[in-house]
């Protein structure tokens, strides 16, 4: 785990290879083990491939006011949209969003460890009506962005993560 975290890095550009649904499921199951106050499971994932990318391309084009579909979804064969799905509960929304975000981070790490390239992208368009509609978001849901997933390009194979921060600068006591 320590080595996987230290070695993780984002891949903004990936090959067309992608994990299958079957390969994803155990990773999603493992990612679901992040801390989750009251076990609300306040998240869900939307798998976007093939025509799903066309649908997303159209929605992004519409949302940014251009007439043409966006080319962005074609940067990887597989995109997983991460949805914060806030449940009615005494648990505040921010705690639920922290869990949803945790799932995305954990899934990214697990995919990286399994040898896949991942890049988390977001932006203002996640809040636009056309984009929300394309993902079937309900009123209690927000899009936290998309994990673009693919094969790691040859020049990055066997590479290492970035130099970690100096941990002593990020911890204090009271
Ligand atoms: C919630 C979230 C959203 C992000 N959105 C974008 C984005 O839209 N565009 C972008 O270039 N990087 C975005 N990033 C940053 C990249 O995913 C990546 O973390 C960054 O390039 C640093 O690379 P590293 O993960 O290897 O340190 C986002 C990261 C997070 C956590």
């Amino acid at each position: 785990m320590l080595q996987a975290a230290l070695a993780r890095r984002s891949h903004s550009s990936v090959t067309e290879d992608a994990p299958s649904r079957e390969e994803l499921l155990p990773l999603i199951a493992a990612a679901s083990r992040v801390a989750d106050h009251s076990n609300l499971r306040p998240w869900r994932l939307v798998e976007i491939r093939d025509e799903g990318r066309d649908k997303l391309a159209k929605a992004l084009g519409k949302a940014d006011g251009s007439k043409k579909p966006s080319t962005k979804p074609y940067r990887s064969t597989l995109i997983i949209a991460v949805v914060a799905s806030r449940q009615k509960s005494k648990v505040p929304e921010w705690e639920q969003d922290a869990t949803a975000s945790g799932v995305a981070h954990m899934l990214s790490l697990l995919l990286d460890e399994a040898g896949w390239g991942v890049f988390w992208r977001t932006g203002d368009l996640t809040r636009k009506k056309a984009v929300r509609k394309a993902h079937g978001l309900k009123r209690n849901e927000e899009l936290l962005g998309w994990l673009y997933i693919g094969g790691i390009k040859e020049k990055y194979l066997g590479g290492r993560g970035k130099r970690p921060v100096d941990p002593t600068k990020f911890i204090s006591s009271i």
Side-chain angles (χ1 to χ4, degrees):
M1 182 70 170
L2 190 65
Q3 286 314 314
L6 284 169
R8 190 206 69 83
R9 53 154 296 172
S10 298
H11 291 266
S12 61
S13 171
V14 290
T15 73
E16 284 181 5
D17 203 9
S20 64
R21 165 76 71 97
E22 290 65 37
E23 286 174 283
L24 285 174
L25 293 179
L27 305 183
I28 295 169
S32 78
R33 294 300 303 121
V34 297
D36 180 356
H37 194 166
S38 294
N39 284 323
L40 296 174
R41 309 281 185 250
W43 56 276
R44 64 185 180 92
L45 306 171
V46 183
E47 183 182 21
I48 301 170
R49 306 179 194 255
D50 306 316
E51 309 88 65
R53 290 194 303 173
D54 303 336
K55 198 171 167 185
L56 177 59
K58 276 193 202 140
L60 290 172
K62 191 169 176 189
D64 78 2
S66 70
K67 294 207 169 64
K68 286 191 286 185
S70 166
T71 57
K72 288 179 179 166
Y74 303 103
R75 290 186 286 200
S76 67
T77 305
L78 169 65
I79 299 169
I80 293 183
V82 181
V83 179
S85 199
R86 288 96 176 230
Q87 308 298 308
K88 275 210 178 88
S89 164
K90 65 174 176 31
V91 178
E93 270 188 11
W94 79 263
E95 289 189 30
Q96 300 192 36
D97 289 358
T99 295
S101 171
V103 169
H105 280 293
M106 187 61 90
L107 182 59
S108 300
L109 177 60
L110 290 164
L111 282 161
D112 186 276
E113 189 187 27
W116 296 105
V118 185
F119 201 92
W120 187 345
R121 292 188 169 94
T122 183
D124 294 345
L125 298 184
T126 57
R127 303 283 186 267
K128 302 280 181 167
K129 201 169 160 190
V131 176
R132 291 181 57 88
K133 198 171 161 203
H135 293 80
L137 296 195
K138 301 194 193 86
R139 283 164 71 148
N140 62 319
E141 296 184 323
E142 285 298 350
L143 197 52
L144 298 187
W146 301 273
L147 303 180
Y148 284 71
I149 300 160
I152 294 179
K153 291 205 163 159
E154 210 171 316
K155 62 179 170 180
Y156 297 117
L157 283 173
R160 308 160 77 91
K162 290 194 293 199
R163 215 149 60 95
V165 298
D166 173 358
T168 62
K169 295 198 173 127
F170 290 82
I171 186 164
S172 60
S173 309
I174 54 168

